[in-house]
Amino acid sequence: MRVEIWSDIACPWCYVGKARFEKALDAFPHRDGVEVVHRSFELDPGRAKGDIQAVIPMLTEKYGMSEAQAQAGEENLGTLAAAEGLAYRAQGRDTGNTFDMHRLLHLAKERGRQDELMQAFYEANFTEERSVFGDDERLVELAAGAGLGEDEVRKVLADPAAYADDVRADEREAAELGANGVPFFVLDRKYGVSGAQPAEVFTQALEQAWASHSPLKLIQQDDAEACGPDGCAVPQQH
Amino acid sequence: MRVEIWSDIACPWCYVGKARFEKALDAFPHRDGVEVVHRSFELDPGRAKGDIQAVIPMLTEKYGMSEAQAQAGEENLGTLAAAEGLAYRAQGRDTGNTFDMHRLLHLAKERGRQDELMQAFYEANFTEERSVFGDDERLVELAAGAGLGEDEVRKVLADPAAYADDVRADEREAAELGANGVPFFVLDRKYGVSGAQPAEVFTQALEQAWASHSPLKLIQQDDAEACGPDGCAVPQQH
């Protein structure tokens, strides 16, 4: 069974939602039969690469909150994160363009290190003072910590086209699946869970998707004209 | 809707089956809503990279056919291929390890040129005298013809680890889906078609999969705690 998670590194609910989902997944009896894939979604795709801003002014400017509302929201997120055992830096975070991080997550997927890198990005963004924005070497360091080769990471960062199509394709798919916010969880392309739901909701979704996970229905007419490890079917004239 | 096709470049039924599938796909009213992905499957994964052999002796040695049987099979494949409008070189073909070609097909997938490269490999292998085996420059030429950059193709060929995990992952998935031969077509992970079935069977499969293609069922309890283009939900204490 496959669970795809659309999310953005800059999305606090994605950080919290991942922990809630993993709580359910770790307790799921068929855990070994579940593959998790992270998919790209940018909350603010129009933000230029160098445009880095503190979170509180961003919230007040972009969403019209008062500074007190914005700060209270961050504090509440910190409390909710703590309930999941997560650290959360409610003061002084910044935000910026996440496209390069999404490109690196696609590289990491090919290397089998995607979940490690996603978690490293979240922890760096939500718990550490040093910014993840505007500093390629910071991303190299995080990616290396997640098990990627520094050289290949630098190569991807230096080539803006690398994995760009993969990021765009994920975002197109999110739209096609009806996701207009993140985190968005899709189980076997059949069930969807929107938002950082409680772990019990993820448990229910996993159980439901597992129960309805059915083998392929084979559609065919003739004996298969196919090749296998023991050779190819001998052609018959139709 | 997504159709995944597991196949091997060295598999004549895959070459013929692709044409039959495309005949059905081209006439399918929802053609624009169908994404096609090629997946890797090696018929002879144990064959060493440099081990190139003429097809007729391979068939007699490996599958215990007489030379006359093997040659008649090739001639019949030529006739069936011709019925699909395909050229087929029934005499003098060779075979070898296809792993590198599968790795390049994964690179091509990232560049949006996968189908072009698959078709170029098939045509080179089944219709041209010059071998596709044992000559990296031949692969560079074919990949460039399909729209890839020569440099990136050479880089992938020079690094045996590049896209190797993707090839292995495809092969594992084929086994999990119950495919023990190719071509193997999977529609939305719900319907399977094994072998080079007649175009009508593919039409039926496309229609059935399209009709049962359903939107995601959303499972949730709370209002979504999520971030979207208009900001993040304000945290409530649970």
Side-chain angles (χ1 to χ4, degrees):
Chain A
M1 190 166 81
R2 190 162 68 148
V3 180
E4 296 160 284
I5 310 176
W6 273 264
S7 49
D8 193 0
I9 300 96
C11 157
W13 287 121
C14 299
Y15 172 55
V16 171
K18 181 174 190 283
R20 292 181 181 167
F21 167 73
E22 286 172 355
K23 194 173 161 187
L25 183 63
D26 288 343
F28 187 56
H30 310 290
R31 200 257 162 275
D32 289 347
V34 180
E35 179 202 8
V36 176
V37 179
H38 294 285
R39 300 268 183 216
S40 306
F41 190 105
E42 293 164 280
L43 285 173
D44 198 357
R47 184 179 285 268
K49 190 174 168 176
D51 182 7
I52 300 158
Q53 195 180 10
V55 161
I56 302 294
M58 181 275 288
L59 292 172
T60 60
E61 280 172 32
K62 194 165 172 193
Y63 307 120
M65 296 178 169
S66 75
E67 205 177 300
Q69 280 175 321
Q71 189 57 55
E74 284 290 286
E75 303 290 346
N76 285 345
L77 273 165
T79 308
L80 291 174
E84 308 302 331
L86 300 172
Y88 190 90
R89 211 164 151 262
Q91 304 220 346
R93 287 200 306 114
D94 61 2
T95 191
N97 182 294
T98 57
F99 196 69
D100 284 349
M101 285 186 267
H102 285 297
R103 296 196 297 113
L104 290 179
L105 285 163
H106 279 278
L107 167 67
K109 176 161 176 269
E110 283 181 6
R111 301 288 176 268
R113 316 294 297 176
Q114 198 190 33
D115 194 68
E116 289 82 351
L117 185 58
M118 189 83 226
Q119 195 59 34
F121 283 159
Y122 279 142
E123 286 174 13
N125 186 43
F126 291 111
T127 77
E128 295 181 31
E129 190 172 346
R130 187 171 162 198
S131 177
V132 295
F133 301 104
D135 178 2
D136 278 2
E137 280 309 301
R138 175 68 170 141
L139 302 186
V140 172
E141 199 179 275
L142 291 167
L148 298 184
E150 293 193 6
D151 286 351
E152 63 177 353
V153 172
R154 287 207 180 87
K155 234 180 270 175
V156 167
L157 288 170
D159 172 11
Y163 300 101
D165 288 350
D166 295 279
V167 177
R168 298 293 177 224
D170 279 358
E171 295 181 332
R172 256 196 321 276
E173 276 201 306
E176 285 163 12
L177 289 166
N180 36 40
V182 283
F184 194 81
F185 301 76
V186 175
L187 297 86
D188 266 350
R189 293 282 166 128
K190 208 186 271 177
Y191 296 95
V193 177
S194 175
Q197 301 286 331
E200 309 84 71
V201 174
F202 291 115
T203 298
Q204 187 197 332
L206 286 167
E207 282 168 357
Q208 220 161 313
W210 188 267
S212 72
H213 186 75
S214 51
L216 293 178
K217 291 180 199 68
L218 277 183
I219 298 173
Q220 57 198 82
Q221 175 181 311
D222 293 8
D223 282 347
E225 293 187 327
C227 300
D230 300 324
C232 297
V234 176
Q236 309 294 327
Q237 296 301 337
H238 282 261
Chain B
M1 190 167 81
R2 188 162 70 146
V3 180
E4 296 160 284
I5 310 177
W6 273 264
S7 49
D8 193 1
I9 300 97
C11 156
W13 286 121
C14 299
Y15 171 54
V16 171
K18 181 174 191 283
R20 290 181 182 165
F21 168 72
E22 285 172 356
K23 194 173 162 188
L25 183 64
D26 289 342
F28 188 56
H30 310 290
R31 201 256 162 277
D32 290 347
V34 179
E35 178 203 8
V36 176
V37 179
H38 294 285
R39 300 270 182 214
S40 306
F41 192 104
E42 294 164 280
L43 285 173
D44 197 358
R47 183 179 286 267
K49 192 176 167 176
D51 183 8
I52 300 157
Q53 194 180 12
V55 161
I56 302 295
M58 180 274 286
L59 292 172
T60 60
E61 278 170 33
K62 195 167 172 194
Y63 307 120
M65 296 180 170
S66 74
E67 207 178 299
Q69 279 175 322
Q71 190 56 57
E74 284 291 285
E75 302 290 346
N76 285 344
L77 273 164
T79 308
L80 291 173
E84 307 303 330
L86 300 172
Y88 191 90
R89 211 166 149 260
Q91 305 221 341
R93 287 201 304 112
D94 62 1
T95 191
N97 182 294
T98 57
F99 195 71
D100 284 349
M101 285 186 269
H102 285 296
R103 295 196 298 115
L104 291 178
L105 285 163
H106 280 278
L107 166 68
K109 176 161 176 270
E110 282 180 8
R111 300 289 176 270
R113 314 296 297 176
Q114 198 190 33
D115 194 67
E116 289 81 352
L117 185 58
M118 189 82 225
Q119 195 59 35
F121 282 160
Y122 279 144
E123 287 175 12
N125 186 42
F126 291 113
T127 76
E128 294 180 32
E129 189 174 346
R130 190 173 161 197
S131 178
V132 294
F133 301 104
D135 178 3
D136 279 2
E137 279 308 302
R138 175 66 170 144
L139 301 185
V140 172
E141 198 178 275
L142 291 167
L148 297 184
E150 294 194 5
D151 285 351
E152 63 178 352
V153 172
R154 286 205 183 90
K155 235 180 271 175
V156 168
L157 288 172
D159 173 11
Y163 301 101
D165 288 350
D166 296 277
V167 176
R168 298 293 177 222
D170 280 358
E171 295 182 330
R172 257 197 319 276
E173 277 203 303
E176 284 162 15
L177 289 165
N180 36 38
V182 282
F184 194 81
F185 301 77
V186 175
L187 297 85
D188 266 349
R189 293 281 165 132
K190 207 186 270 174
Y191 296 95
V193 177
S194 175
Q197 300 286 329
E200 308 86 72
V201 173
F202 291 114
T203 298
Q204 188 198 331
L206 286 166
E207 284 169 356
Q208 220 162 313
W210 188 266
S212 72
H213 186 75
S214 50
L216 293 178
K217 292 178 199 68
L218 277 185
I219 299 174
Q220 56 198 83
Q221 175 181 312
D222 293 7
D223 283 347
E225 293 188 325
C227 300
D230 300 323
C232 298
V234 177
Q236 308 295 328
Q237 297 300 337
H238 282 263

